[in-house]
Amino acid sequence: YPLWRLLMQRPRMLATATAVALAVGLLTFRPRWNGNPLFNFVHFAGVFMAGMLAAHHHDALISLFRRRFWAVVSAGVALWALTTPFIGRVWTLNIEDILERRMVAVNLPLLAKLWLILPLMAVFHRLSEMNRSPALLKPLARMSFGIFYWHCYAILYINVGGLQFMPRDSLWGITLQTLLVFGTVIAILALLKKALPRFSTYLGVE
């Protein structure tokens, strides 16, 4: 916490640290079975810090979305579409593979997700300004921590359970798998809330 607070008070240091952390994240992968907290931290720290940087430059981002909405959305979606066909080549890699083989590989799944951050932010901001935010967003926002917490278990179940029939090197396959994971997590949260109403908050359900 003191480190994050220090970075938030020094914008240039935060920007530099974020760039370095994102570069590290793009050259590393999740640990095998998500079983190494230190590797997880190294891999995802850049994404967390990018969120801090975006929060610090909130006003500048809002101004950008208002002035260049379609440019931001078009560029982000185009870069995402160009990246996703190559994801299948590195989809199964983990950080242990990288270290054991002494290889260098770009984490294309993470890169593809990063391309979508600004377009999604721009779209949600535009909807909020138009007072047309979908009614579904509020309950999803309340479940956001639960979605974050449980989605890795859904991915693990889908992969280990042999449900790998969807192609991972196409927009259609990746979109279908995303919807399957998302739907599975929502179902888990709904069941937890119904079965354990007193304890559901501790399990990521409000």
Side-chain angles (χ1 to χ4, degrees), residues 57-136:
H57 294 286
H58 172 271
D59 293 341
L61 285 173
I62 295 302
S63 176
L64 174 66
F65 297 155
R66 287 172 175 165
R67 292 182 293 106
R68 297 286 186 270
F69 174 79
W70 289 111
V72 170
V73 172
S74 300
V77 172
L79 288 168
W80 173 76
L82 289 172
T83 305
T84 48
F86 304 99
I87 286 179
R89 300 179 182 180
V90 297
W91 187 276
T92 60
L93 287 178
N94 52 60
I95 186 62
E96 289 85 357
D97 292 331
I98 299 296
L99 295 175
E100 291 168 4
R101 301 177 192 177
R102 298 180 181 179
M103 61 184 293
V104 176
V106 177
N107 193 320
L108 295 177
L110 178 61
L111 181 61
K113 295 169 188 174
L114 290 173
W115 290 137
L116 285 181
I117 290 177
L118 283 181
L120 286 173
M121 290 172 64
V123 169
F124 287 139
H125 177 261
R126 174 63 64 90
L127 289 173
S128 68
E129 284 199 327
M130 297 169 62
N131 292 319
R132 294 181 63 181
S133 296
L136 186 61

Side-chain angles (χ1 to χ4, degrees), residues 7-20:
L7 290 174
M8 286 298 287
Q9 293 171 348
R10 292 167 172 77
R12 290 185 180 178
M13 185 184 296
L14 174 60
T16 302
T18 301
V20 172

Side-chain angles (χ1 to χ4, degrees), residues 147-170:
I147 293 170
F148 163 75
Y149 181 81
W150 287 101
H151 86 279
C152 60
Y153 296 101
I155 293 173
L156 183 63
Y157 171 76
I158 288 170
N159 287 335
V160 175
L163 300 178
Q164 302 184 35
F165 54 87
M166 291 168 289
R168 293 168 173 174
D169 56 354
S170 69

